[in-house]
Amino acid sequence: MSTITISPLRQRMIEDMNGRKLGPHSQRSHIQSCKRFAAYLKRSPDTATAEDIRRFQLHLAETGVSICNRNRIMTGLKFLFRVTLRRLDLAAEIYHLKEPQKIPLVMSPASGRKP
């Protein structure tokens, strides 16, 4: 039997997510997002600054993370800063991107006719 220690910050975030009835998939996603941010910072996310958040968002864009995944990651961080840490100033620094819509390729009626 292994003993897994959970940081007080993670425990508080889990409690906040349970209190808001977030599903297990959302909870895993939010925790993973915070772990990724902490790995980027090389320190706890509760020490982050607005500049750290800006640089992290640029880092995600530069490393080719898709818009969909960038938005998912930033949603997890926004929860951490807005709900768990009550750092509305930092939550305000997080932006989401609108994914460009793909226009379906439709064959025109004229393309099927023979001259």
Side-chain angles (χ1 to χ4, degrees):
M1 184 186 220
S2 67
T3 307
I4 299 172
T5 59
I6 297 177
S7 74
L9 178 60
R10 182 184 293 198
Q11 184 59 46
R12 195 164 76 223
M13 186 173 175
I14 291 169
E15 290 167 0
D16 289 340
M17 290 188 290
N18 285 331
R20 284 161 181 75
K21 302 213 182 285
L22 267 65
H25 181 74
S26 295
Q27 288 192 26
R28 268 193 311 277
S29 177
H30 285 4
I31 293 292
Q32 193 62 35
S33 298
C34 293
K35 283 172 64 176
R36 187 172 187 160
F37 184 55
Y40 171 80
L41 287 178
K42 296 181 176 70
R43 62 183 196 274
S44 177
D46 62 354
T47 65
T49 65
E51 182 61 20
D52 291 329
I53 293 169
R54 188 187 77 77
R55 282 194 343 263
F56 182 62
Q57 290 181 103
L58 290 173
H59 166 75
L60 293 175
E62 290 166 358
T63 54
V65 176
S66 72
I67 290 174
C68 179
N69 280 328
R70 284 161 49 192
N71 286 340
R72 180 188 53 75
I73 291 165
M74 298 319 293
T75 297
L77 290 182
K78 194 166 204 163
F79 184 92
L80 172 71
F81 292 122
R82 189 175 55 80
V83 177
T84 302
L85 295 175
R86 303 215 185 283
R87 291 290 311 271
L88 301 181
D89 58 322
L90 294 180
E93 297 296 320
I94 294 172
Y95 58 85
H96 285 81
L97 300 167
K98 199 166 188 161
E99 199 157 357
Q101 289 195 344
K102 296 177 183 156
I103 299 172
L105 179 63
V106 178
M107 303 278 290
S108 68
S111 66
R113 291 190 216 148
K114 293 184 180 179

